[in-house]
Amino acid sequence: MIFYEEQQRYGVNRGRDMGIQMVGPLIIKFGTQAQKDYWLPRILTCEDIWCQGYSEPGAGSDLANLRTSAVIEGDEFVINGQKTWTTMAHDATHIFMLVRTDADAPRKQQGISFVLASVDQPGVEVRTITTLAGETEFCEVFFDNARTPRANLVGELNKGWSMAKALLSFERIFIGSPSLAQNALGQLETFARGRDCFSDAAFCDSFAELALDVEDHAALYARFADQLKRGETLGADVSMLKIWVTECYQRISELMIEAAGPDGGTVGPLQIGNISVDVLASFYKARPTTIYGGSNEIQRNILSKAVLGL
Ligand SMILES: Cc1cc2nc3c(=O)[nH]c(=O)nc-3n(C[C@H](O)[C@H](O)[C@H](O)COP(=O)(O)OP(=O)(O)OC[C@H]3O[C@@H](n4cnc5c(N)ncnc54)[C@H](O)[C@@H]3O)c2cc1C
């Protein structure tokens, strides 16, 4: 958390590695001493680059529906199945994944395990998916008798669901960081000044509303960040952060299109003085934020059940 806050203070882009944000904290919490000794230093040096293998074609919001199987053979798990929307899998060396280890468990949340596996092996095929913005940032990952040592099971066999949920709370605070909206707001301000939008009272109102929402969000985020720094477990209410920041980001990207006027549909960067801003790319990039890390509809369901008790 401190590392990312310092990066943001200097305006440095976040690495796309999910080691520090997700699997690292999980190994610290649930891993064996041998797992901590082996994996954690490699996360810090970026020797291993991690991706997250949760979603499957039939298991997104309904994650417990996942079907990728891992069968124990001697000292190894043999993995078969498919993951999808796996961000940066084509750049990753390793994948942390949820696999079904007991197909006969009475509830679908049971019989799931959390394992670590190498992406660079013959049984794994990674195919990139191109986004609307023309980028290849996520992938389909196919497992055909891929193998990983049994020692790469994190936590207990068939008890992966509770770890999956713990990891999601780490993911949600990182996705819920204010930097997403703060950077977009800064870009909007520069762009709007260059286009003289602040002479328009209606634009000023919209901008002020967004600026206040971003400030409010940053204050709320600080509360959760303090909880994490004190070593406390985050509650279900952390979902608020993700909903708020991603929806602010989308509204900022929409106002940017409005500020661009007739140029709002231009593909590629628009030049404003010394800077160039790609308003359409920013708009596209804001779209999936309400989907990844668990869609905002699902976050609202979580809040209504776990926080409001509805
Ligand atoms: C850019 C991006 C990166 C991603 N990266 C990763 C990654 O690295 N690793 C990974 O494992 N996954 C990743 N995902 C997948 C992401 O977690 C899923 O897309 C997400 O959980 C939604 O699942 P789905 O796409 O299957 O949609 P579905 O679950 O099919 O949902 C479709 C729509 O129905 C709504 N819906 C579904 N169920 C309910 C309900 N009960 N109540 C109300 N509304 C509901 C959803 O909100 C959504 O609008 C990524 C997704 C995106 C867009």
Side-chain angles (χ1 to χ4, degrees):
M1 176 66 66
I2 292 166
F3 175 65
Y4 280 115
E5 282 178 4
E6 287 303 311
Q7 273 194 314
Q8 282 160 23
R9 208 189 307 283
Y10 288 96
V12 176
N13 248 350
R14 266 188 193 186
R16 299 243 186 137
D17 170 37
M18 294 173 192
I20 290 182
Q21 300 176 22
M22 295 191 213
V23 76
L26 199 86
I27 292 173
I28 290 171
K29 201 160 178 183
F30 297 104
T32 59
Q33 194 54 48
Q35 287 171 339
K36 290 178 195 171
D37 292 344
Y38 182 76
W39 296 109
L40 297 179
R42 300 167 68 93
I43 289 175
L44 289 179
T45 57
C46 296
E47 200 170 338
D48 296 336
I49 302 290
W50 288 91
C51 63
Q52 177 188 31
Y54 273 29
S55 306
E56 297 183 6
S61 302
D62 190 5
L63 185 58
N65 218 21
L66 64 95
R67 292 166 58 171
T68 297
S69 68
V71 175
I72 295 173
E73 258 186 43
D75 280 346
E76 290 182 317
F77 287 104
V78 180
I79 306 170
N80 282 286
Q82 183 196 344
K83 297 289 174 183
T84 193
W85 314 126
T86 320
T87 301
M88 305 308 287
H90 54 311
D91 284 335
T93 58
H94 290 79
I95 183 166
F96 56 89
M97 56 194 296
L98 294 174
V99 287
R100 193 155 294 285
T101 38
D102 178 4
D104 301 322
R107 289 179 64 240
K108 57 186 181 181
Q109 284 81 357
Q110 295 166 342
I112 291 174
S113 299
F114 189 101
V115 298
L116 314 174
S118 165
V119 174
D120 299 327
Q121 57 164 305
V124 178
E125 188 190 344
V126 178
R127 291 187 205 154
T128 55
I129 304 171
T130 306
T131 67
L132 264 182
E135 291 172 355
T136 45
E137 64 173 51
F138 50 28
C139 307
E140 295 175 288
V141 187
F142 297 87
F143 299 86
D144 181 11
N145 290 323
R147 288 172 179 268
T148 198
R150 274 185 76 166
N152 286 348
L153 169 76
V154 183
E156 286 178 56
L157 190 69
N158 297 327
K159 299 272 171 64
W161 189 245
S162 51
M163 274 180 295
K165 287 195 294 183
L167 185 135
L168 285 175
S169 77
F170 297 129
E171 181 178 9
R172 280 167 195 157
I173 191 159
F174 281 108
I175 294 179
S177 157
S179 63
L180 195 65
Q182 282 166 340
N183 292 342
L185 193 74
Q187 208 177 35
L188 171 63
E189 185 173 353
T190 312
F191 185 76
R193 287 203 188 289
R195 291 268 168 146
D196 195 27
C197 297
F198 286 102
S199 55
D200 176 40
F203 180 86
C204 288
D205 280 352
S206 305
F207 185 87
E209 189 182 319
L210 283 170
L212 290 173
D213 283 352
V214 172
E215 282 296 313
D216 281 349
H217 174 271
L220 184 69
Y221 172 85
R223 204 192 83 197
F224 284 103
D226 278 348
Q227 245 179 291
L228 203 65
K229 286 178 199 165
R230 287 197 298 268
E232 294 170 13
T233 304
L234 296 176
D237 51 348
V238 71
S239 286
M240 265 191 290
L241 287 180
K242 197 252 167 177
I243 296 175
W244 200 345
V245 75
T246 53
E247 293 179 8
C248 276
Y249 180 34
Q250 289 192 344
R251 285 188 288 133
I252 293 168
S253 75
E254 284 155 22
L255 192 58
M256 184 107 91
I257 295 275
E258 223 177 290
D263 294 332
T266 304
V267 177
L270 297 171
Q271 201 64 31
I272 302 289
N274 289 335
I275 66 150
S276 63
V277 180
D278 193 332
V279 294
L280 201 57
S282 176
F283 179 80
Y284 282 142
K285 280 185 182 147
R287 298 302 101 193
T289 60
T290 50
I291 302 172
Y292 60 56
S295 75
N296 285 20
E297 289 80 12
I298 295 300
Q299 308 297 330
R300 285 189 162 88
N301 285 351
I302 293 171
L303 288 177
S304 67
K305 275 194 208 144
V307 181
L308 302 175
L310 299 175

mmCIF file of all heavy atoms in Angstrom, residues 201-239:
data_model
loop_
_atom_site.group_PDB
_atom_site.id
_atom_site.type_symbol
_atom_site.label_atom_id
_atom_site.label_comp_id
_atom_site.label_asym_id
_atom_site.label_seq_id
_atom_site.Cartn_x
_atom_site.Cartn_y
_atom_site.Cartn_z
ATOM 1 N N ALA A 201 -20.666 28.170 -17.758
ATOM 2 C CA ALA A 201 -21.113 27.930 -16.379
ATOM 3 C C ALA A 201 -21.565 26.478 -16.191
ATOM 4 O O ALA A 201 -21.285 25.863 -15.154
ATOM 5 C CB ALA A 201 -22.242 28.888 -16.024
ATOM 6 N N ALA A 202 -22.235 25.923 -17.181
ATOM 7 C CA ALA A 202 -22.732 24.545 -17.051
ATOM 8 C C ALA A 202 -21.553 23.572 -16.945
ATOM 9 O O ALA A 202 -21.571 22.621 -16.145
ATOM 10 C CB ALA A 202 -23.613 24.186 -18.246
ATOM 11 N N PHE A 203 -20.494 23.823 -17.737
ATOM 12 C CA PHE A 203 -19.312 22.965 -17.664
ATOM 13 C C PHE A 203 -18.678 23.074 -16.269
ATOM 14 O O PHE A 203 -18.298 22.062 -15.665
ATOM 15 C CB PHE A 203 -18.281 23.336 -18.740
ATOM 16 C CG PHE A 203 -17.066 22.467 -18.685
ATOM 17 C CD1 PHE A 203 -17.027 21.258 -19.353
ATOM 18 C CD2 PHE A 203 -15.971 22.822 -17.895
ATOM 19 C CE1 PHE A 203 -15.922 20.415 -19.253
ATOM 20 C CE2 PHE A 203 -14.865 21.990 -17.784
ATOM 21 C CZ PHE A 203 -14.847 20.793 -18.477
ATOM 22 N N CYS A 204 -18.591 24.323 -15.778
ATOM 23 C CA CYS A 204 -17.988 24.531 -14.438
ATOM 24 C C CYS A 204 -18.757 23.741 -13.376
ATOM 25 O O CYS A 204 -18.144 23.127 -12.488
ATOM 26 C CB CYS A 204 -18.003 26.016 -14.055
ATOM 27 S SG CYS A 204 -16.831 26.963 -15.002
ATOM 28 N N ASP A 205 -20.078 23.752 -13.448
ATOM 29 C CA ASP A 205 -20.894 23.004 -12.479
ATOM 30 C C ASP A 205 -20.556 21.511 -12.534
ATOM 31 O O ASP A 205 -20.352 20.872 -11.507
ATOM 32 C CB ASP A 205 -22.393 23.167 -12.793
ATOM 33 C CG ASP A 205 -22.920 24.491 -12.267
ATOM 34 O OD1 ASP A 205 -22.173 25.187 -11.552
ATOM 35 O OD2 ASP A 205 -24.078 24.839 -12.597
ATOM 36 N N SER A 206 -20.535 20.988 -13.759
ATOM 37 C CA SER A 206 -20.257 19.546 -13.911
ATOM 38 C C SER A 206 -18.864 19.220 -13.386
ATOM 39 O O SER A 206 -18.656 18.209 -12.693
ATOM 40 C CB SER A 206 -20.321 19.115 -15.380
ATOM 41 O OG SER A 206 -21.542 19.471 -15.929
ATOM 42 N N PHE A 207 -17.896 20.081 -13.698
ATOM 43 C CA PHE A 207 -16.518 19.835 -13.270
ATOM 44 C C PHE A 207 -16.424 19.875 -11.744
ATOM 45 O O PHE A 207 -15.796 19.013 -11.121
ATOM 46 C CB PHE A 207 -15.566 20.862 -13.890
ATOM 47 C CG PHE A 207 -14.127 20.581 -13.568
ATOM 48 C CD1 PHE A 207 -13.381 19.728 -14.367
ATOM 49 C CD2 PHE A 207 -13.525 21.133 -12.440
ATOM 50 C CE1 PHE A 207 -12.066 19.427 -14.050
ATOM 51 C CE2 PHE A 207 -12.215 20.838 -12.115
ATOM 52 C CZ PHE A 207 -11.468 19.990 -12.928
ATOM 53 N N ALA A 208 -17.075 20.899 -11.137
ATOM 54 C CA ALA A 208 -17.004 21.047 -9.676
ATOM 55 C C ALA A 208 -17.620 19.834 -8.982
ATOM 56 O O ALA A 208 -17.076 19.325 -7.988
ATOM 57 C CB ALA A 208 -17.720 22.322 -9.249
ATOM 58 N N GLU A 209 -18.727 19.335 -9.520
ATOM 59 C CA GLU A 209 -19.383 18.172 -8.923
ATOM 60 C C GLU A 209 -18.434 16.962 -8.939
ATOM 61 O O GLU A 209 -18.268 16.270 -7.930
ATOM 62 C CB GLU A 209 -20.651 17.860 -9.719
ATOM 63 C CG GLU A 209 -21.530 16.819 -9.074
ATOM 64 C CD GLU A 209 -22.752 16.520 -9.930
ATOM 65 O OE1 GLU A 209 -23.357 17.462 -10.501
ATOM 66 O OE2 GLU A 209 -23.093 15.336 -10.049
ATOM 67 N N LEU A 210 -17.777 16.774 -10.084
ATOM 68 C CA LEU A 210 -16.844 15.648 -10.198
ATOM 69 C C LEU A 210 -15.653 15.826 -9.260
ATOM 70 O O LEU A 210 -15.223 14.872 -8.597
ATOM 71 C CB LEU A 210 -16.343 15.542 -11.643
ATOM 72 C CG LEU A 210 -17.317 14.917 -12.628
ATOM 73 C CD1 LEU A 210 -16.822 15.095 -14.050
ATOM 74 C CD2 LEU A 210 -17.481 13.429 -12.305
ATOM 75 N N ALA A 211 -15.139 17.065 -9.201
ATOM 76 C CA ALA A 211 -13.968 17.318 -8.344
ATOM 77 C C ALA A 211 -14.311 17.018 -6.884
ATOM 78 O O ALA A 211 -13.504 16.422 -6.154
ATOM 79 C CB ALA A 211 -13.500 18.762 -8.508
ATOM 80 N N LEU A 212 -15.517 17.386 -6.456
ATOM 81 C CA LEU A 212 -15.924 17.122 -5.068
ATOM 82 C C LEU A 212 -16.096 15.618 -4.835
ATOM 83 O O LEU A 212 -15.713 15.095 -3.785
ATOM 84 C CB LEU A 212 -17.225 17.860 -4.742
ATOM 85 C CG LEU A 212 -17.081 19.387 -4.651
ATOM 86 C CD1 LEU A 212 -18.445 20.047 -4.493
ATOM 87 C CD2 LEU A 212 -16.185 19.778 -3.483
ATOM 88 N N ASP A 213 -16.667 14.931 -5.819
ATOM 89 C CA ASP A 213 -16.838 13.476 -5.688
ATOM 90 C C ASP A 213 -15.478 12.779 -5.564
ATOM 91 O O ASP A 213 -15.319 11.839 -4.786
ATOM 92 C CB ASP A 213 -17.601 12.908 -6.896
ATOM 93 C CG ASP A 213 -19.096 13.183 -6.794
ATOM 94 O OD1 ASP A 213 -19.531 13.661 -5.723
ATOM 95 O OD2 ASP A 213 -19.826 12.935 -7.775
ATOM 96 N N VAL A 214 -14.508 13.258 -6.347
ATOM 97 C CA VAL A 214 -13.173 12.641 -6.303
ATOM 98 C C VAL A 214 -12.531 12.904 -4.940
ATOM 99 O O VAL A 214 -11.914 12.010 -4.341
ATOM 100 C CB VAL A 214 -12.299 13.169 -7.474
ATOM 101 C CG1 VAL A 214 -10.855 12.706 -7.333
ATOM 102 C CG2 VAL A 214 -12.868 12.703 -8.814
ATOM 103 N N GLU A 215 -12.708 14.119 -4.409
ATOM 104 C CA GLU A 215 -12.169 14.439 -3.068
ATOM 105 C C GLU A 215 -12.811 13.563 -1.996
ATOM 106 O O GLU A 215 -12.143 13.038 -1.115
ATOM 107 C CB GLU A 215 -12.442 15.913 -2.725
ATOM 108 C CG GLU A 215 -11.513 16.887 -3.400
ATOM 109 C CD GLU A 215 -10.065 16.706 -2.964
ATOM 110 O OE1 GLU A 215 -9.817 16.608 -1.749
ATOM 111 O OE2 GLU A 215 -9.188 16.624 -3.841
ATOM 112 N N ASP A 216 -14.133 13.453 -2.053
ATOM 113 C CA ASP A 216 -14.848 12.628 -1.070
ATOM 114 C C ASP A 216 -14.335 11.189 -1.109
ATOM 115 O O ASP A 216 -14.123 10.557 -0.085
ATOM 116 C CB ASP A 216 -16.358 12.596 -1.385
ATOM 117 C CG ASP A 216 -17.042 13.868 -0.904
ATOM 118 O OD1 ASP A 216 -16.413 14.628 -0.169
ATOM 119 O OD2 ASP A 216 -18.216 14.081 -1.282
ATOM 120 N N HIS A 217 -14.161 10.701 -2.336
ATOM 121 C CA HIS A 217 -13.703 9.327 -2.492
ATOM 122 C C HIS A 217 -12.323 9.150 -1.874
ATOM 123 O O HIS A 217 -12.057 8.153 -1.176
ATOM 124 C CB HIS A 217 -13.686 8.934 -3.975
ATOM 125 C CG HIS A 217 -13.087 7.584 -4.199
ATOM 126 N ND1 HIS A 217 -11.738 7.403 -4.400
ATOM 127 C CD2 HIS A 217 -13.633 6.349 -4.174
ATOM 128 C CE1 HIS A 217 -11.489 6.113 -4.511
ATOM 129 N NE2 HIS A 217 -12.609 5.451 -4.384
ATOM 130 N N ALA A 218 -11.427 10.135 -2.113
ATOM 131 C CA ALA A 218 -10.060 10.035 -1.581
ATOM 132 C C ALA A 218 -10.098 9.961 -0.050
ATOM 133 O O ALA A 218 -9.312 9.223 0.560
ATOM 134 C CB ALA A 218 -9.226 11.220 -2.056
ATOM 135 N N ALA A 219 -11.021 10.705 0.568
ATOM 136 C CA ALA A 219 -11.121 10.693 2.032
ATOM 137 C C ALA A 219 -11.590 9.322 2.523
ATOM 138 O O ALA A 219 -11.080 8.782 3.508
ATOM 139 C CB ALA A 219 -12.078 11.787 2.492
ATOM 140 N N LEU A 220 -12.545 8.750 1.804
ATOM 141 C CA LEU A 220 -13.051 7.428 2.184
ATOM 142 C C LEU A 220 -11.966 6.365 2.012
ATOM 143 O O LEU A 220 -11.768 5.497 2.865
ATOM 144 C CB LEU A 220 -14.268 7.085 1.311
ATOM 145 C CG LEU A 220 -14.956 5.777 1.648
ATOM 146 C CD1 LEU A 220 -15.658 5.862 2.998
ATOM 147 C CD2 LEU A 220 -15.998 5.410 0.578
ATOM 148 N N TYR A 221 -11.230 6.485 0.901
ATOM 149 C CA TYR A 221 -10.154 5.528 0.613
ATOM 150 C C TYR A 221 -9.115 5.545 1.739
ATOM 151 O O TYR A 221 -8.625 4.500 2.170
ATOM 152 C CB TYR A 221 -9.498 5.897 -0.722
ATOM 153 C CG TYR A 221 -8.262 5.110 -1.045
ATOM 154 C CD1 TYR A 221 -8.339 3.867 -1.651
ATOM 155 C CD2 TYR A 221 -6.997 5.616 -0.745
ATOM 156 C CE1 TYR A 221 -7.198 3.141 -1.946
ATOM 157 C CE2 TYR A 221 -5.852 4.894 -1.029
ATOM 158 C CZ TYR A 221 -5.964 3.659 -1.633
ATOM 159 O OH TYR A 221 -4.817 2.946 -1.922
ATOM 160 N N ALA A 222 -8.809 6.765 2.225
ATOM 161 C CA ALA A 222 -7.793 6.900 3.283
ATOM 162 C C ALA A 222 -8.206 6.105 4.512
ATOM 163 O O ALA A 222 -7.360 5.508 5.195
ATOM 164 C CB ALA A 222 -7.595 8.375 3.626
ATOM 165 N N ARG A 223 -9.510 6.057 4.789
ATOM 166 C CA ARG A 223 -9.996 5.310 5.952
ATOM 167 C C ARG A 223 -9.711 3.812 5.780
ATOM 168 O O ARG A 223 -9.207 3.152 6.684
ATOM 169 C CB ARG A 223 -11.503 5.549 6.102
ATOM 170 C CG ARG A 223 -12.006 5.329 7.496
ATOM 171 C CD ARG A 223 -13.513 5.297 7.525
ATOM 172 N NE ARG A 223 -13.991 3.972 7.177
ATOM 173 C CZ ARG A 223 -15.239 3.703 6.799
ATOM 174 N NH1 ARG A 223 -16.109 4.676 6.665
ATOM 175 N NH2 ARG A 223 -15.607 2.473 6.535
ATOM 176 N N PHE A 224 -10.019 3.293 4.583
ATOM 177 C CA PHE A 224 -9.773 1.856 4.338
ATOM 178 C C PHE A 224 -8.273 1.561 4.317
ATOM 179 O O PHE A 224 -7.827 0.533 4.804
ATOM 180 C CB PHE A 224 -10.414 1.427 3.017
ATOM 181 C CG PHE A 224 -11.909 1.278 3.102
ATOM 182 C CD1 PHE A 224 -12.749 2.247 2.595
ATOM 183 C CD2 PHE A 224 -12.469 0.165 3.709
ATOM 184 C CE1 PHE A 224 -14.128 2.111 2.688
ATOM 185 C CE2 PHE A 224 -13.839 0.016 3.802
ATOM 186 C CZ PHE A 224 -14.677 0.995 3.286
ATOM 187 N N ALA A 225 -7.516 2.482 3.722
ATOM 188 C CA ALA A 225 -6.061 2.269 3.634
ATOM 189 C C ALA A 225 -5.468 2.196 5.048
ATOM 190 O O ALA A 225 -4.599 1.366 5.325
ATOM 191 C CB ALA A 225 -5.416 3.395 2.833
ATOM 192 N N ASP A 226 -5.959 3.043 5.958
ATOM 193 C CA ASP A 226 -5.463 3.017 7.344
ATOM 194 C C ASP A 226 -5.784 1.683 8.000
ATOM 195 O O ASP A 226 -4.961 1.132 8.736
ATOM 196 C CB ASP A 226 -6.098 4.156 8.161
ATOM 197 C CG ASP A 226 -5.365 5.462 7.914
ATOM 198 O OD1 ASP A 226 -4.269 5.409 7.324
ATOM 199 O OD2 ASP A 226 -5.894 6.519 8.285
ATOM 200 N N GLN A 227 -6.990 1.182 7.722
ATOM 201 C CA GLN A 227 -7.392 -0.122 8.274
ATOM 202 C C GLN A 227 -6.387 -1.196 7.853
ATOM 203 O O GLN A 227 -5.944 -2.000 8.653
ATOM 204 C CB GLN A 227 -8.755 -0.500 7.692
ATOM 205 C CG GLN A 227 -9.886 -0.571 8.698
ATOM 206 C CD GLN A 227 -11.165 -0.923 7.974
ATOM 207 O OE1 GLN A 227 -11.686 -0.124 7.208
ATOM 208 N NE2 GLN A 227 -11.668 -2.115 8.201
ATOM 209 N N LEU A 228 -6.045 -1.167 6.551
ATOM 210 C CA LEU A 228 -5.132 -2.173 6.003
ATOM 211 C C LEU A 228 -3.740 -2.023 6.627
ATOM 212 O O LEU A 228 -3.093 -2.999 6.989
ATOM 213 C CB LEU A 228 -5.069 -2.009 4.483
ATOM 214 C CG LEU A 228 -4.643 -3.218 3.693
ATOM 215 C CD1 LEU A 228 -5.651 -4.341 3.824
ATOM 216 C CD2 LEU A 228 -4.475 -2.871 2.219
ATOM 217 N N LYS A 229 -3.304 -0.766 6.765
ATOM 218 C CA LYS A 229 -1.965 -0.526 7.334
ATOM 219 C C LYS A 229 -1.900 -0.972 8.796
ATOM 220 O O LYS A 229 -0.846 -1.336 9.296
ATOM 221 C CB LYS A 229 -1.610 0.959 7.224
ATOM 222 C CG LYS A 229 -1.264 1.385 5.817
ATOM 223 C CD LYS A 229 -0.981 2.877 5.788
ATOM 224 C CE LYS A 229 -1.094 3.411 4.381
ATOM 225 N NZ LYS A 229 -1.183 4.870 4.348
ATOM 226 N N ARG A 230 -3.041 -0.930 9.485
ATOM 227 C CA ARG A 230 -3.057 -1.413 10.881
ATOM 228 C C ARG A 230 -3.139 -2.936 10.948
ATOM 229 O O ARG A 230 -3.203 -3.513 12.020
ATOM 230 C CB ARG A 230 -4.263 -0.811 11.626
ATOM 231 C CG ARG A 230 -4.113 0.676 11.964
ATOM 232 C CD ARG A 230 -5.114 1.091 13.041
ATOM 233 N NE ARG A 230 -6.495 0.916 12.609
ATOM 234 C CZ ARG A 230 -7.231 1.849 12.016
ATOM 235 N NH1 ARG A 230 -6.714 3.036 11.801
ATOM 236 N NH2 ARG A 230 -8.480 1.619 11.651
ATOM 237 N N GLY A 231 -3.204 -3.582 9.762
ATOM 238 C CA GLY A 231 -3.243 -5.043 9.716
ATOM 239 C C GLY A 231 -4.637 -5.610 9.928
ATOM 240 O O GLY A 231 -4.804 -6.803 10.169
ATOM 241 N N GLU A 232 -5.661 -4.742 9.856
ATOM 242 C CA GLU A 232 -7.035 -5.228 10.058
ATOM 243 C C GLU A 232 -7.568 -5.836 8.760
ATOM 244 O O GLU A 232 -7.124 -5.484 7.676
ATOM 245 C CB GLU A 232 -7.949 -4.061 10.476
ATOM 246 C CG GLU A 232 -7.588 -3.496 11.831
ATOM 247 C CD GLU A 232 -8.338 -2.200 12.134
ATOM 248 O OE1 GLU A 232 -9.310 -1.874 11.424
ATOM 249 O OE2 GLU A 232 -7.930 -1.515 13.085
ATOM 250 N N THR A 233 -8.541 -6.716 8.906
ATOM 251 C CA THR A 233 -9.168 -7.315 7.731
ATOM 252 C C THR A 233 -10.228 -6.344 7.208
ATOM 253 O O THR A 233 -10.991 -5.779 7.989
ATOM 254 C CB THR A 233 -9.830 -8.647 8.131
ATOM 255 O OG1 THR A 233 -8.826 -9.451 8.731
ATOM 256 C CG2 THR A 233 -10.415 -9.367 6.929
ATOM 257 N N LEU A 234 -10.244 -6.171 5.895
ATOM 258 C CA LEU A 234 -11.237 -5.255 5.326
ATOM 259 C C LEU A 234 -12.599 -5.932 5.272
ATOM 260 O O LEU A 234 -12.699 -7.121 4.973
ATOM 261 C CB LEU A 234 -10.817 -4.836 3.919
ATOM 262 C CG LEU A 234 -9.519 -4.020 3.830
ATOM 263 C CD1 LEU A 234 -9.170 -3.745 2.382
ATOM 264 C CD2 LEU A 234 -9.652 -2.707 4.598
ATOM 265 N N GLY A 235 -13.628 -5.170 5.536
ATOM 266 C CA GLY A 235 -14.978 -5.716 5.495
ATOM 267 C C GLY A 235 -15.576 -5.599 4.096
ATOM 268 O O GLY A 235 -14.942 -5.068 3.168
ATOM 269 N N ALA A 236 -16.810 -6.068 3.963
ATOM 270 C CA ALA A 236 -17.490 -6.040 2.660
ATOM 271 C C ALA A 236 -17.725 -4.605 2.192
ATOM 272 O O ALA A 236 -17.893 -4.357 0.992
ATOM 273 C CB ALA A 236 -18.819 -6.775 2.772
ATOM 274 N N ASP A 237 -17.710 -3.657 3.137
ATOM 275 C CA ASP A 237 -17.985 -2.272 2.739
ATOM 276 C C ASP A 237 -16.905 -1.685 1.830
ATOM 277 O O ASP A 237 -17.112 -0.627 1.225
ATOM 278 C CB ASP A 237 -18.215 -1.363 3.973
ATOM 279 C CG ASP A 237 -17.113 -1.480 5.011
ATOM 280 O OD1 ASP A 237 -16.299 -2.414 4.900
ATOM 281 O OD2 ASP A 237 -17.079 -0.636 5.927
ATOM 282 N N VAL A 238 -15.749 -2.384 1.671
ATOM 283 C CA VAL A 238 -14.708 -1.887 0.769
ATOM 284 C C VAL A 238 -15.236 -1.806 -0.681
ATOM 285 O O VAL A 238 -14.717 -1.058 -1.502
ATOM 286 C CB VAL A 238 -13.423 -2.760 0.868
ATOM 287 C CG1 VAL A 238 -13.625 -4.123 0.246
ATOM 288 C CG2 VAL A 238 -12.237 -2.048 0.228
ATOM 289 N N SER A 239 -16.309 -2.548 -0.959
ATOM 290 C CA SER A 239 -16.908 -2.511 -2.302
ATOM 291 C C SER A 239 -17.322 -1.095 -2.707
ATOM 292 O O SER A 239 -17.388 -0.777 -3.888
ATOM 293 C CB SER A 239 -18.134 -3.420 -2.370
ATOM 294 O OG SER A 239 -17.728 -4.765 -2.390
#
